[in-house]
Amino acid sequence: MEIIDGGVSTPKGFSTYGIHCGIKKKRLDLAMISSDRPAWAVGAYTQNKMRAPPVELMVKRSSPKLQAVVMNSGNANAITGEQGMKDAQAMIDATAECLGIDSDLVGVASTGVISHYMPMDKIIPGIKEISEKLGTGREQDHLAAEAILTTDKTIKEAACRITLKDGTVITIAGMAKGSGMISPSMKALHATTLSFITTDAVLTKVPTYKWQECINKSFNMINVDGDQSTNDTSIMLANGAAGGKPVDDNHEFWEGVLYVLKSLAKQVVMDGEGATKLIELKVSGAKTDKEARTTGRWIISSALVKTAVFGADPNFGRILAALGNSGSEFDLTKIKLCIGDGNEIAVLFENGMPQLIPGGESEAKAREILKHSRIDVYLDLGIGNGSAEAWGCDLTYEYVKINAEYTT
Amino acid sequence: MEIIDGGVSTPKGFSTYGIHCGIKKKRLDLAMISSDRPAWAVGAYTQNKMRAPPVELMVKRSSPKLQAVVMNSGNANAITGEQGMKDAQAMIDATAECLGIDSDLVGVASTGVISHYMPMDKIIPGIKEISEKLGTGREQDHLAAEAILTTDKTIKEAACRITLKDGTVITIAGMAKGSGMISPSMKALHATTLSFITTDAVLTKVPTYKWQECINKSFNMINVDGDQSTNDTSIMLANGAAGGKPVDDNHEFWEGVLYVLKSLAKQVVMDGEGATKLIELKVSGAKTDKEARTTGRWIISSALVKTAVFGADPNFGRILAALGNSGSEFDLTKIKLCIGDGNEIAVLFENGMPQLIPGGESEAKAREILKHSRIDVYLDLGIGNGSAEAWGCDLTYEYVKINAEYTT
């Protein structure tokens, strides 16, 4: 697998674009991805029961294929009732008409403020405009990736290229947005992070199980604020334009998909609202992978852990308290908790005892590590072989500011 | 029921005191409550699996009665392993010896920084000093209530007096602490809010079921930061000194207990770390009371709801998104969501539609309401008779500050 500089139009047969249609005051707010042929499509959507109309439509669709996805930022079309359903369908229908394809082959996703009706008088002309401008290249990728952003500061892209054993070269690429209302728990077939993955690999069926596995190890293991969105959506389109043998069960292909999803998920956390530090947590020694994942999610979600990291305070008891809340089994006498910055490592807890002496050398080292912008946390529960990775960020003054002032 | 000015030594037969023994630099840090006779005791403790040694001891005790409880602030004796167990037991034993009673009749509770060993060289002499100073009166109550505080800004007390039908006058009083790490989910018999209730009413058995019901409607319905503590403890002592008939099943008595617990729980939230506003949420129309409670807890725990309240931003979609995450059943077309300040009420969502027109009169009214220090939120799910009350606070810059700097 080769990591490459690429975006959603890098895999063969895909084109994309992003424009400003007027949902937001100035910034880009409408994007589209299109394939030159129908693509096998698999999605994962929020499990929030208050899911937004565009998600509602996507969950209920029956076609296993998609040829285009239209998406907007600035308005989530969430909690907008019947009008919202009509508007989401109108976005699909307008896209289908402009591209000359069947409505069943068009997907839709929205993100932004919730409980406001969509300005359809701006969106429909926007769809016409964007479908005429679709193209292939890094400039087009960047416009699309920018048009799906809300409070994000940066665009998020990832791509890789894999040469299969039969010589076929496939490309997997993706873009994502998300900085607040981030606590995805997406379920395949039925997940406001938005992420869109394109690939020219050949599939022969909807890869629900493999996709769920990848989502569980990537977007479902990140947290910014613990609020699962009404709009989380992650969609992969595989159009087969690369040719070669099907990759439905190809390990290398799924490693590539996981790489792209993980990379995007981490970029979302690093751009988390107000975040100044990325927390990379590795849980090991859990009874099961599932318990390791649950523990990981509890720790990166803890407001006390997040503020301690912001304050560069090695108050590791908060990490263990979050473990206690996760419900996972552990053996306190065998727990080992360390933090690192890529070079130095400090042991915080081991042999059933705190390993930091207040005011001592080890504490000074831990404080130094916590000043970095990326902090590794290693937690071994000491009872089994279950493991998981999770990614979180610190909770800062800026987070409060952004969210106290979001719609004003 | 008459609401009175009182504290833990107001019910007959109880004495109390609070001192500075040296766990903290300057402020009071050790408290004791004692009864002139053994009292029926019922407790509720944290369900965090990483429960602290003092909680571990309390959960495992077999005596249905207690005659005294010793408690300290400044150090939670949590995640301190075997040494912590020894230290908690030593606090019990020293109290028993000083008071000349059996160790089985002594309870212990700790709160403060976690994962630091207890300074027993200061605590043991402190126990001796405090047991000689125990007394009855408002001054003594205040010292005890002050000695259990950590980041709290104010002491928390509540008391009521009830004249039973047989003419017996009983008194119920309590004190509590708690401002961070507040997301109690205490289970009776086996909850870092600390709360201690004293009453001179006559019980004939440990009232586990009734107590759990009261805890579920009070402390278990508050949230400051979503982190359930390792040390949450709530204990009631009933010494029977008022005489008269047993109150095991007396409705008035339990109303009194619930009043005291609710009053203390609300005081904890109002003093929540960095909090500037109290959110009083009433959920109705849920399928069951249990679903109403779950929904209530999700809403008051949402970082996005809390920051919106801080910013006086009527971004009510966040409330409905939190409802969606709670998993409770609802009918969007029948949901009614209002906010009020005791005088004015603004309807935010009704008939499946947002009722606020951005920039309109209703929105201005909602913003005005959100500027008050106490905000009522009414949410009717429209499908059943289940109801619950929950109390939360806003998430502010000050919260981040307090928690980024707590141990430093």
Side-chain angles (χ1 to χ4, degrees):
Chain A
M1 183 182 78
E2 183 196 355
I3 294 165
I4 60 170
D5 171 56
V8 289
S9 78
T10 308
K12 291 189 192 101
F14 288 97
S15 58
T16 193
Y17 210 73
I19 63 166
H20 167 76
C21 78
I23 307 170
K24 294 180 186 167
K25 281 185 189 151
K26 285 184 179 171
R27 293 183 298 142
L28 304 193
D29 51 21
L30 191 69
M32 194 179 284
I33 299 174
S34 176
S35 167
D36 60 5
R37 70 201 81 181
W40 286 100
V42 63
Y45 306 94
T46 184
Q47 291 187 74
N48 187 316
K49 279 195 179 180
M50 192 66 77
R51 59 192 179 203
V55 176
E56 202 65 34
L57 287 181
M58 293 302 285
V59 169
K60 289 183 176 157
R61 64 193 300 282
S62 52
S63 167
K65 295 199 173 185
L66 284 173
Q67 190 163 351
V69 181
V70 60
M71 41 257 188
N72 74 279
S73 59
N75 189 320
N77 190 10
I79 318 183
T80 42
E82 276 191 43
Q83 186 61 45
M85 293 296 285
K86 281 181 197 159
D87 293 343
Q89 188 62 48
M91 287 176 71
I92 287 177
D93 294 340
T95 304
E97 195 187 332
C98 293
L99 298 176
I101 59 175
D102 196 281
S103 286
D104 281 356
L105 290 174
V106 179
V108 62
S110 300
T111 181
V113 66
I114 46 184
S115 257
H116 286 242
Y117 292 125
M118 296 285 271
M120 294 307 288
D121 58 326
K122 289 166 181 159
I123 293 173
I124 298 298
I127 288 174
K128 191 168 184 318
E129 180 188 340
I130 202 170
S131 48
E132 287 162 1
K133 291 181 170 167
L134 286 169
T136 295
R138 300 298 287 131
E139 193 189 329
Q140 286 80 355
D141 294 338
H142 290 157
L143 291 170
E146 195 180 322
I148 59 172
L149 304 184
T150 55
T151 50
D152 305 61
K153 288 185 183 148
T154 60
I155 64 165
K156 291 146 188 96
E157 293 183 300
C160 67
R161 184 168 285 144
I162 299 164
T163 305
L164 299 177
K165 282 174 189 146
D166 69 356
T168 313
V169 177
I170 58 170
T171 306
I172 305 166
M175 66 179 187
K177 66 77 57 173
S179 66
M181 215 172 197
I182 306 293
S183 179
S185 177
M186 296 187 274
K187 209 172 156 193
L189 280 179
H190 300 297
T192 298
T193 59
L194 299 183
S195 51
F196 305 97
I197 316 296
T198 56
T199 178
D200 47 20
V202 176
L203 286 178
T204 64
K205 58 187 177 189
V206 179
T208 309
Y209 179 78
K210 292 270 189 195
W211 177 248
Q212 180 73 61
E213 218 174 44
C214 289
I215 291 290
N216 281 348
K217 290 181 178 173
S218 56
F219 278 97
N220 285 358
M221 292 308 291
I222 63 172
N223 187 296
V224 171
D225 54 16
D227 283 274
Q228 185 184 190
S229 165
T230 49
N231 290 58
D232 290 334
T233 296
S234 189
I235 295 173
M236 179 169 79
L237 305 178
N239 70 3
K245 286 185 187 164
V247 297
D248 303 272
D249 295 310
N250 184 295
H251 182 68
E252 281 175 298
F253 170 70
W254 288 106
E255 286 264 291
V257 172
L258 183 58
Y259 161 75
V260 171
L261 284 170
K262 265 193 190 179
S263 171
L264 292 173
K266 276 196 251 188
Q267 289 177 58
V268 165
V269 175
M270 286 172 75
D271 195 19
E273 286 174 347
T276 67
K277 295 174 188 174
L278 170 70
I279 307 166
E280 291 214 45
L281 169 65
K282 285 186 172 63
V283 179
S284 57
K287 196 180 172 194
T288 61
D289 285 354
K290 197 181 168 192
E291 288 207 355
R293 279 204 300 273
T294 305
T295 294
R297 282 183 66 98
W298 270 88
I299 292 170
I300 55 161
S301 307
S302 158
L304 289 172
V305 170
K306 290 157 70 74
T307 45
V309 169
F310 175 52
D313 176 4
N315 195 341
F316 62 88
R318 293 178 177 179
I319 296 176
L320 297 183
L323 160 62
N325 276 323
S326 75
S328 292
E329 281 185 43
F330 57 84
D331 179 342
L332 192 60
T333 65
K334 291 183 183 161
I335 280 179
K336 186 169 182 180
L337 176 64
C338 307
I339 54 171
D341 58 11
N343 294 311
E344 296 274 347
I345 283 200
V347 181
L348 304 181
F349 191 90
E350 195 176 15
N351 300 322
M353 285 189 299
Q355 299 294 320
L356 286 194
I357 293 132
E361 201 183 313
S362 54
E363 199 198 23
K365 191 165 146 193
R367 282 187 194 280
E368 207 48 50
I369 288 170
L370 285 168
K371 285 181 187 158
H372 288 75
S373 62
R374 186 194 122 181
I375 292 136
D376 298 319
V377 180
Y378 305 94
L379 174 63
D380 193 286
L381 306 190
I383 62 159
N385 295 313
S387 68
E389 288 176 285
W391 300 272
C393 57
D394 52 349
L395 172 58
T396 69
Y397 300 117
E398 191 64 20
Y399 175 85
V400 174
K401 182 165 191 218
I402 291 167
N403 282 294
E405 296 174 2
Y406 184 49
T407 64
T408 57
Chain B
M1 184 182 79
E2 183 195 357
I3 294 166
I4 61 170
D5 172 56
V8 290
S9 78
T10 308
K12 291 191 192 101
F14 288 98
S15 57
T16 192
Y17 209 73
I19 63 166
H20 167 76
C21 79
I23 307 170
K24 294 181 187 166
K25 278 184 191 153
K26 284 185 179 170
R27 293 183 297 142
L28 303 194
D29 51 20
L30 191 69
M32 194 179 283
I33 299 174
S34 176
S35 167
D36 61 5
R37 69 200 82 179
W40 287 100
V42 63
Y45 307 94
T46 184
Q47 291 187 74
N48 188 316
K49 280 196 179 181
M50 193 65 77
R51 58 192 180 203
V55 176
E56 202 65 33
L57 287 182
M58 293 303 285
V59 169
K60 289 183 176 159
R61 65 193 300 283
S62 53
S63 167
K65 295 201 173 183
L66 284 173
Q67 191 164 351
V69 182
V70 59
M71 42 256 187
N72 73 279
S73 60
N75 189 320
N77 191 10
I79 319 184
T80 42
E82 276 191 44
Q83 186 61 45
M85 293 295 285
K86 282 180 197 160
D87 293 343
Q89 187 62 48
M91 287 175 70
I92 288 176
D93 293 341
T95 303
E97 193 186 332
C98 293
L99 298 176
I101 60 175
D102 196 281
S103 285
D104 281 355
L105 290 175
V106 179
V108 63
S110 298
T111 181
V113 65
I114 47 184
S115 258
H116 287 242
Y117 292 125
M118 296 284 272
M120 295 305 290
D121 57 327
K122 290 167 181 159
I123 293 172
I124 298 297
I127 287 173
K128 191 168 182 322
E129 180 189 339
I130 202 170
S131 48
E132 287 161 3
K133 290 181 171 168
L134 287 168
T136 294
R138 299 299 285 132
E139 194 188 329
Q140 287 79 354
D141 294 338
H142 290 157
L143 290 170
E146 195 180 322
I148 59 172
L149 304 183
T150 54
T151 50
D152 306 60
K153 288 187 184 148
T154 60
I155 65 166
K156 292 149 187 89
E157 293 183 302
C160 67
R161 186 167 284 145
I162 299 164
T163 305
L164 300 176
K165 281 173 188 148
D166 70 357
T168 311
V169 177
I170 60 171
T171 306
I172 305 166
M175 66 179 187
K177 67 76 58 173
S179 65
M181 217 170 195
I182 306 294
S183 179
S185 177
M186 296 187 273
K187 210 173 155 191
L189 281 179
H190 300 295
T192 301
T193 58
L194 299 184
S195 50
F196 305 96
I197 316 296
T198 54
T199 178
D200 48 20
V202 175
L203 286 177
T204 64
K205 59 188 177 189
V206 179
T208 309
Y209 179 78
K210 291 269 189 195
W211 176 248
Q212 180 74 60
E213 220 176 42
C214 290
I215 290 289
N216 281 348
K217 290 181 178 171
S218 56
F219 278 97
N220 284 358
M221 291 308 291
I222 63 171
N223 188 297
V224 171
D225 54 15
D227 283 274
Q228 185 184 190
S229 167
T230 49
N231 291 57
D232 290 334
T233 296
S234 189
I235 295 173
M236 180 170 76
L237 305 179
N239 70 3
K245 286 185 186 163
V247 296
D248 303 87
D249 296 309
N250 184 297
H251 181 68
E252 280 176 297
F253 170 69
W254 288 105
E255 286 263 291
V257 171
L258 184 58
Y259 161 75
V260 170
L261 284 170
K262 265 192 189 178
S263 171
L264 293 173
K266 274 197 254 189
Q267 289 177 56
V268 165
V269 175
M270 286 171 76
D271 194 20
E273 286 173 348
T276 68
K277 295 172 186 175
L278 170 69
I279 307 166
E280 291 214 45
L281 170 66
K282 286 186 171 64
V283 179
S284 58
K287 196 179 174 194
T288 60
D289 285 354
K290 197 180 168 193
E291 288 207 354
R293 279 204 298 272
T294 304
T295 295
R297 283 184 65 98
W298 271 87
I299 292 170
I300 55 161
S301 307
S302 159
L304 289 172
V305 170
K306 290 157 69 76
T307 45
V309 169
F310 174 53
D313 176 3
N315 194 340
F316 62 88
R318 293 178 177 180
I319 295 175
L320 297 183
L323 160 62
N325 277 322
S326 75
S328 292
E329 281 184 44
F330 57 84
D331 179 342
L332 191 60
T333 65
K334 290 183 184 161
I335 281 180
K336 186 170 182 180
L337 175 65
C338 308
I339 55 171
D341 58 10
N343 293 310
E344 296 274 347
I345 283 200
V347 180
L348 304 182
F349 192 90
E350 195 176 14
N351 300 322
M353 284 190 298
Q355 298 294 320
L356 286 193
I357 293 132
E361 201 182 313
S362 55
E363 199 198 24
K365 191 164 145 194
R367 282 188 193 281
E368 208 47 52
I369 288 170
L370 285 168
K371 286 181 186 158
H372 288 76
S373 62
R374 185 193 122 181
I375 293 136
D376 299 319
V377 180
Y378 306 94
L379 174 63
D380 193 285
L381 306 190
I383 61 160
N385 295 312
S387 68
E389 288 176 285
W391 299 271
C393 57
D394 51 351
L395 173 58
T396 69
Y397 300 117
E398 191 64 21
Y399 175 84
V400 175
K401 183 164 192 223
I402 291 167
N403 283 294
E405 298 174 1
Y406 185 48
T407 63
T408 58

